[in-house]
Amino acid sequence: MRSRHQVPAPGPEVKTTGGLVRGITRRDVHAWRGIPYAAPPVGERRFRAPQPVVPWEGVRDGSRYGPVPIQERVGEFIGAGRTTPMDEDSLTLNVSAPTTPSTEPRPVMVWFYGGAFVVGASSAPTYRGDDFVRRGEAVFVSVNYRLGALGYLDFSSYGTPERPVESNLGLRDQIAALEWVRDNIAAFGGDPDRVTIFGESAGAISVTTLLTVPSARGLFHRAIAQSSAPGMVFGQERARAWAARYVTALGADDDPLAGLTTATPHQLLGAARVLRDTLGDQPGTIPTAPVVDGDLLPEAPLAAFEAGRAADVPLIIGTNDTEGRLFELPRLRMDVLVSEERAAQMFALTQPELREQVLAVYGGTAFRRDLGGDYMFWYPSVRVMQAHRGPVWAYRYDLTTPVLTLMGVRATHGMELFGVFGLADKAPWLTLLGGRRDLRAMQQRVQDDWIHFAHHGTPASHWPTYDADTRLTKILDRADRTESDPRRERRLAWQGFRGYD
């Protein structure tokens, strides 16, 4: 009996800076998986900036994804699944390209996954990207980067001249991957002068942050931020206080550097759980996030946008209708201000004078379902929309299905991924009660826009640019429409809110 699944054929060999890689070919797509873009960040390289890739002898097998970064196993939709190998040696990326020849180099789309900087992997089935390759005549790249304590807690104050420790390691990984793309992507048929970075959630925070990192300038030329939380970048004083709590949870107060560099991954994850459980005094923060370190990241991204110091590349940016509702679900609970008491505490620590005017506009809503998502994702994204010096196309994703409506989450955080990655026929639970036709039509429109943007720097559809006067925003729904200044009352209530440092 013939298998239902096509067995991949050996693909072409490509020479990279590390050596030769042999890919696989399946359904008109060449794929090269698990390509190292930096040296393994293990041993003396733990908590160090990524180092140049270690060359290999012979031809490397590119048929399998590399190990996923160290993380909790919390489900394959946003994480690494339960069976994928996991290892600190995870700084790899994957490249997919059309099998058809081309006389011109193709645009490159580089994907950064989400997961609150604590879970995620480029090997998750959600992020295959084959639709962009087949439909868009593009080269698709997905990147692993370090997560959690290994990637985003700031332990730099514990370093010594003999054993330095750098900050923002996950962000540095992403920059190293973009440098690899610059130096290698032409061998895969890609155009190093037409690179679009895009991501969702933590991946979108990465996008909006990279727009403000001086050393990332010139490594990409367009950007798409899907549900970014641009304000989830914190000052070094706060970040180092979180690092100190982590060291205590690890039991390494006597010799923090030794404890950090010799702990097992299991011990590192255990300390991260303790840190997470002790952050109740700082609602609406995540300790695993980029830090304004005065080195790689000289200032807060929102401040850089508003001062005109962000890279002025074309930008698509938007959020979903009900961002915060995802985090009410069991096993996905996060502190997105899911109670009035937590919100009051957050305002007391940030700008108490704005508390009453903000809370007043949510009086007629299910409180915990709306304010948290607006605080973390929507309003900071609006600040980017109105401040960015390059062309901006703004959206709000509203499409829901009967199942999502019945669950009470509607178009919540992450739901646009089904359209972007063409998953209408791969997630039957989502359309169990109907809505598949609408989702199929949505994925066609969204992919058309994303692909055209990668090729030309503009969306394919009629989509006016955003500016601070008209605030024209595309509402992605069963029938797309354009609105001027959607949720104006909420925006005015939040106006002037700066958040944590």
Side-chain angles (χ1 to χ4, degrees):
M1 179 181 294
R2 181 174 297 175
S3 170
R4 294 190 316 158
H5 301 288
Q6 177 186 357
V7 177
E13 294 180 7
V14 174
K15 183 174 177 54
T16 71
T17 49
L20 288 171
V21 182
R22 179 184 294 115
I24 56 174
T25 300
R26 183 172 181 173
R27 291 186 58 206
D28 304 322
V29 174
H30 291 315
W32 299 264
R33 298 170 175 170
I35 307 173
Y37 66 84
V42 300
E44 288 299 311
R45 290 190 288 264
R46 180 188 273 187
F47 298 119
R48 297 301 314 275
Q51 301 299 307
V53 67
V54 177
W56 56 86
E57 298 289 337
V59 180
R60 185 180 181 92
D61 177 16
S63 66
R64 298 179 181 178
Y65 292 102
V68 304
I70 299 298
Q71 62 191 269
E72 300 282 2
R73 301 281 194 178
V74 295
E76 198 163 25
F77 181 72
I78 58 172
R82 299 188 177 278
T83 60
T84 313
M86 183 181 297
D87 199 283
E88 281 190 72
D89 180 8
S90 61
L91 298 188
T92 64
L93 51 74
N94 319 295
V95 181
S96 298
T99 58
T100 54
S102 175
T103 58
E104 299 290 336
R106 295 176 164 106
V108 183
M109 304 181 73
V110 180
W111 173 255
F112 298 123
Y113 51 76
F117 297 113
V118 292
V119 297
S122 63
S123 54
T126 305
Y127 308 138
R128 289 294 187 262
D130 286 355
D131 280 3
F132 295 113
V133 176
R134 293 193 184 99
R135 294 189 59 231
E137 282 290 300
V139 176
F140 178 80
V141 180
S142 55
V143 178
N144 275 352
Y145 58 91
R146 280 173 282 184
L147 298 169
L150 289 166
Y152 283 95
L153 283 178
D154 181 11
F155 299 118
S156 58
S157 62
Y158 300 117
T160 67
E162 297 74 27
R163 189 18 173 123
V165 172
E166 282 92 16
S167 55
N168 284 315
L169 296 174
L171 199 61
R172 293 177 192 269
D173 292 344
Q174 293 166 351
I175 294 170
L178 290 172
E179 292 172 339
W180 185 97
V181 168
R182 176 196 62 198
D183 297 339
N184 292 274
I185 207 64
F188 297 85
D191 186 349
D193 294 322
R194 274 193 301 170
V195 174
T196 298
I197 59 171
F198 68 134
E200 182 267 346
S201 194
I205 299 173
S206 301
V207 169
T208 51
T209 302
L210 286 168
L211 282 163
T212 69
V213 174
S215 61
R217 293 288 174 91
L219 295 176
F220 59 92
H221 314 91
R222 289 140 202 180
I224 303 173
Q226 302 167 204
S227 299
S228 181
M232 291 296 109
V233 179
F234 300 98
Q236 201 161 41
E237 182 179 353
R238 186 179 304 278
R240 287 182 172 175
W242 287 334
R245 291 192 189 192
Y246 181 91
V247 166
T248 298
L250 191 62
D253 282 324
D254 290 341
D255 191 344
L257 184 59
L260 290 166
T261 55
T262 61
T264 67
H266 178 75
Q267 291 169 326
L268 293 172
L269 290 174
R273 286 191 293 271
V274 174
L275 174 64
R276 181 188 63 208
D277 293 342
T278 63
L279 283 181
D281 58 343
Q282 299 175 55
T285 61
I286 53 174
T288 51
V291 56
V292 179
D293 57 9
D295 176 21
L296 186 79
L297 188 57
E299 60 185 325
L302 284 171
F305 278 104
E306 290 168 350
R309 287 189 283 270
D312 58 355
V313 303
L315 172 66
I316 292 176
I317 181 169
T319 57
N320 294 357
D321 179 33
T322 54
E323 289 280 1
R325 299 193 183 191
L326 177 72
F327 304 103
E328 296 182 7
L329 298 177
R331 301 182 65 197
L332 284 177
R333 290 191 180 277
M334 290 177 59
D335 182 12
V336 191
L337 307 183
V338 293
S339 72
E340 189 162 356
E341 293 73 22
R342 301 291 284 152
Q345 187 179 5
M346 181 274 292
F347 279 111
L349 294 171
T350 55
Q351 292 176 270
E353 69 277 10
L354 294 180
R355 173 187 169 184
E356 293 306 320
Q357 78 175 39
V358 171
L359 298 188
V361 300
Y362 296 89
T365 68
F367 177 86
R368 64 181 189 161
R369 294 184 166 188
D370 294 300
L371 184 140
D374 287 359
Y375 153 78
M376 182 169 281
F377 302 103
W378 174 69
Y379 181 67
S381 291
V382 169
R383 289 177 63 185
V384 172
M385 295 170 192
Q386 65 192 22
H388 186 51
R389 299 297 174 88
V392 176
W393 291 268
Y395 75 85
R396 191 181 76 213
Y397 184 89
D398 280 19
L399 182 68
T400 186
T401 68
V403 165
L404 294 175
T405 300
L406 187 63
M407 292 171 62
V409 297
R410 301 205 322 256
T412 190
H413 189 68
M415 290 302 106
E416 91 290 351
L417 289 171
F418 291 95
V420 170
F421 282 96
L423 304 177
D425 297 320
K426 299 175 184 176
W429 67 270
L430 187 63
T431 56
L432 186 65
L433 302 179
R436 184 170 300 184
R437 180 180 298 177
D438 291 331
L439 187 54
R440 284 174 175 164
M442 175 64 75
Q443 69 187 35
Q444 180 84 15
R445 299 195 305 274
V446 170
Q447 288 183 354
D448 284 348
D449 281 331
W450 270 221
I451 289 166
H452 195 275
F453 186 76
H455 276 266
H456 306 290
T458 61
S461 62
H462 173 68
W463 188 343
T465 55
Y466 186 99
D467 62 59
D469 293 325
T470 62
R471 301 183 183 274
L472 294 175
T473 303
K474 189 169 188 176
I475 311 299
L476 305 177
D477 207 338
R478 288 178 177 84
D480 296 343
R481 64 188 187 276
T482 299
E483 291 187 9
S484 175
D485 202 5
R487 295 177 176 166
R488 178 176 182 272
E489 185 182 12
R490 293 190 192 181
R491 179 183 62 80
L492 292 176
W494 282 101
Q495 193 164 281
F497 181 76
R498 314 303 296 181
Y500 290 94
D501 58 357

